[in-house]
Structures are given as structure tokens and as C-alpha cells.
Amino acid sequence: MALEIVWSEEAENQLDGIVDYLEENWTEKEIEKFFKRLEDALKQISQHPQRFKKSERKEGARKFQLSPQNTLFYGYNTERLEVLLLWPNKDDPAKLDQ
């Protein structure tokens, strides 16, 4: 059974930033492909959250590499999956420790 998916405020803000960037720099087809990839990832994660690697930088979180540019960090319990961050992989990983 799939878990309920909720987004942290920080993850929602990061998604908004990604959308803004995509709209300025990518085609509509590429944007649709990104959202399809995000939707598929969330489905996989919500069905099998324990399958993906534990984060070494973000305590208590797991990670899923959404694309070469972004990694999704999440936490979960028996009922909910919380999207914690949509991390741009080009950013300094030390910032994850903060």
C-alpha cells in the first residue's frame, strides 16, 4: 500500500524555484518529462520507501536521485512520506548538514 505524500514547505519552495528555472530555460516537452519523472519517483518511493539509500548528510532521511541535476530527500513512517528537500546537485553538499 502506498503512503500518503506530503511536502515540507522548504521542498515546495524548491519545487517552485525549479519550475521557474524550467519555464525560463527548457521546452514544454522537457518540463512535462521532468514532472513525469517526479511523479514516477514519488510513486516508487511511496510504495517502497525503505528501498532507497539512507542519506549520509541529512540525518534520518533517505534519498532518491531524481535526475543528474536534482536529488529528492524524504522521510517516512507507517502512514506518510514527507518530501523534505529537492536538492540541486550542483550546490555545496556541506549545506545539507545545516
Side-chain angles (χ1 to χ4, degrees):
M1 185 171 113
L3 300 174
E4 172 192 10
I5 300 170
V6 296
W7 288 69
S8 72
E9 185 176 337
E10 186 172 6
E12 286 180 351
N13 291 337
Q14 291 166 328
L15 181 60
D16 289 344
I18 290 169
V19 169
D20 290 344
Y21 175 82
L22 296 178
E23 288 175 342
E24 290 177 18
N25 297 288
W26 289 16
T27 67
E28 189 65 33
K29 184 176 182 177
E30 291 168 319
I31 294 169
E32 288 174 15
K33 186 176 177 180
F34 172 82
F35 278 102
K36 175 70 172 140
R37 186 179 309 129
L38 177 60
E39 183 180 305
D40 290 346
L42 289 172
K43 183 177 179 181
Q44 283 182 53
I45 296 167
S46 70
Q47 291 174 346
H48 305 285
Q50 71 286 354
R51 175 186 287 172
F52 303 100
K53 288 184 178 184
K54 290 182 180 179
S55 171
E56 297 168 7
R57 292 261 186 201
K58 195 77 175 159
E59 189 175 329
R62 291 186 178 257
K63 62 184 182 176
F64 180 94
Q65 187 164 345
L66 186 58
S67 69
Q69 297 83 16
N70 295 289
T71 298
L72 187 150
F73 288 86
Y74 66 94
Y76 71 97
N77 60 31
T78 58
E79 297 174 8
R80 293 177 17 161
L81 168 82
E82 182 177 11
V83 179
L84 302 169
L85 298 170
L86 276 177
W87 188 258
N89 294 331
K90 66 180 179 175
D91 277 3
D92 181 0
K95 290 181 182 177
L96 282 169
D97 298 334
Q98 301 172 356

